[in-house]
Amino acid sequence: MASAQAWSELSAAASKMKATHLRTLLQDQARNDYMYVKCGGMTLDYCREKVDVDTMGKLFSLAEKAGVDTKKQKMFAGERINETEGRPVLHVALRAPRSAVINVDGKNVVPEVWQVLDAMKEFSDKVRSGERVGYTGKPLKDVVCIGIGGSYLGVEFVFEALKTDPAAAAAAEGRRLRFLANVDPIDVKRALDGLSAETTLVVIISKTFTTAETMLNAKTVKEWLIKELGTEACIPKHVVACSTALDKTKAFGIDPANVFGFWDWVGGRFSCWSAVGVLALSLQYGFGVVQQFLEGAHVMDEHFRTAPPTENLPLIMGLLAVWNCSVLGYEGIAVLPYCQALVRFVPHIQQLDMESNGKRVQMDGTVVPVGTGAIYFGEPGTNGQHSFYQLMHQGRAIPAEFIGFAHSQNPVELPGEPVSNHDELMSNFFAQPDALALGKTADELKAEGVPEKLVPHKTFTGDRPSLSLLLPVCNASWLGQLLALYEHRTAVQGWVWGINSFDQWGVELGKVLAKEVRSYLSTARKGPANDSKFISPTKMLLKKYLE
């Protein structure tokens, strides 16, 4: 982590910025121009953040003193930067071109990545063409993916985002893809509703094939297949896996040829580029569409690796997140995509950032001296405007990240309407950041003739920070760039704080305690059980639950 002096300099800058309204900052055109940054067809405008050029200089200096560039180069070089687990962090290898060389312990891992990619292309092509069929000879038109957390959220985001992309939608015609994540049996019912076992292919996603929720759901769906098709012999035809536990997948009844592996240097929340996401998305949209997604991510990887600091989008966004969270003291960030196709983007970013950066200690085990991580939430515009924007405008100040596209996946223009449907949407995309930044003063309201008693209620203080990202269109390539941007933005924050953004020990304790509850419930359902391990409030709730 950077020195105390670097943080002290930022604290001094924060005092100045807190005392300077965004109305004033936005009057400096040279500053505004400096904060308008392009990366190919993607544009970042961060002039509505509570920073000036001098503050950005201090943030770039902070990144330098924290060794962000060195840590980035180590990541791309395959070094074991996930120190607590002794692993490299190489999701960038998953979207590297076939000719790339990325070594781990002296061995180039890219050929192995492409070996799995080629196998998934071959398998998905055969399923989609009807060459590979189910147990009764019918084509496999429906896919159910069973996985949770990182084995689900990113894949579902991409699936939803491509649903209405014209090219992807045409490729997916006649096919269905569903997800089964929650161990709640209601999720099983919803995932299987309306499906025929004869045409259903099940993809089980679990690296170790031991994830409790995933394996219980997998066993439940396996029983459904056997019941519907009349024999356990159907399993090799209807179930495949993304896993490294070949002994366990074989015991489950899965053909070893239909197990697609990935590596321990692939973190769950960074894994949609691996078999975890590529297999399901290729079955739905075809490998060609998925390859565009991977290639888009690689474009952003190269931008992040090589662009200078003042033009480096992931670096800038990561530093602004640190500034807002650790220096200005904001505890939340609203991610606001003005595109309904990104309906599942924010849940994935919640996991990506909050699981990565929700840490209290640095890599060396010492407590981080500043606040880390933020609470991420959001909803596609304009839906969010009729939900939580009230709080953002006149309640708590929450930094916002607006995401928009110049062109719609589904252009609509009605005769007699002043603008197209997409322009109506984007009118709000452009208006909301200004409303948050500039607000509306009491004097302005009085000049408009607003009754005196309503002036306090209609006053907007403004001075609420945001940034805007504008992309050309929501297709596979640009989605790859967008997600890779947010992945690298997440890593930058962790490197500045000196934490490990690539482990997740915080998810373990609840799992351990759940095992104890599970054991107790198993016994209690059959007769008397010992509840002495639980605190008294938990005993009371368990007793009520078992009535």
Side-chain angles (χ1 to χ4, degrees), residues 367-477:
V367 176
V368 187
V370 297
T372 63
I375 301 165
Y376 283 75
F377 71 99
E379 182 74 17
T382 59
N383 291 354
Q385 293 175 199
H386 297 270
S387 175
F388 51 81
Y389 278 39
Q390 169 63 47
L391 181 143
M392 293 177 64
H393 280 291
Q394 291 186 308
R396 294 179 182 272
I398 302 168
E401 299 185 354
F402 290 87
I403 303 168
F405 296 88
H407 304 283
S408 175
Q409 290 179 338
N410 182 43
V412 175
E413 190 159 2
L414 299 179
E417 291 295 325
V419 295
S420 68
N421 293 35
H422 186 65
D423 281 351
E424 180 67 30
L425 170 75
M426 292 300 288
S427 296
N428 290 274
F429 167 84
F430 292 109
Q432 289 293 334
D434 283 352
L436 287 165
L438 303 175
K440 193 154 191 175
T441 67
D443 288 342
E444 289 171 330
L445 290 165
K446 290 173 184 175
E448 292 176 1
V450 173
E452 190 70 34
K453 65 179 181 181
L454 290 180
V455 167
H457 300 280
K458 292 194 170 188
T459 297
F460 291 74
T461 58
D463 206 33
R464 290 157 192 258
S466 71
L467 60 78
S468 299
L469 273 173
L470 183 63
L471 292 80
V473 66
C474 184
N475 62 20
S477 178

Side-chain angles (χ1 to χ4, degrees), residues 132-146:
R132 179 187 169 89
V133 295
Y135 183 74
T136 64
K138 290 188 176 182
L140 297 165
K141 296 285 190 180
D142 305 313
V143 175
V144 176
C145 276
I146 304 176

Side-chain angles (χ1 to χ4, degrees), residues 104-115:
V104 174
D105 298 330
K107 180 182 178 182
N108 183 13
V109 300
V110 176
E112 290 182 26
V113 169
W114 275 94
Q115 184 178 358

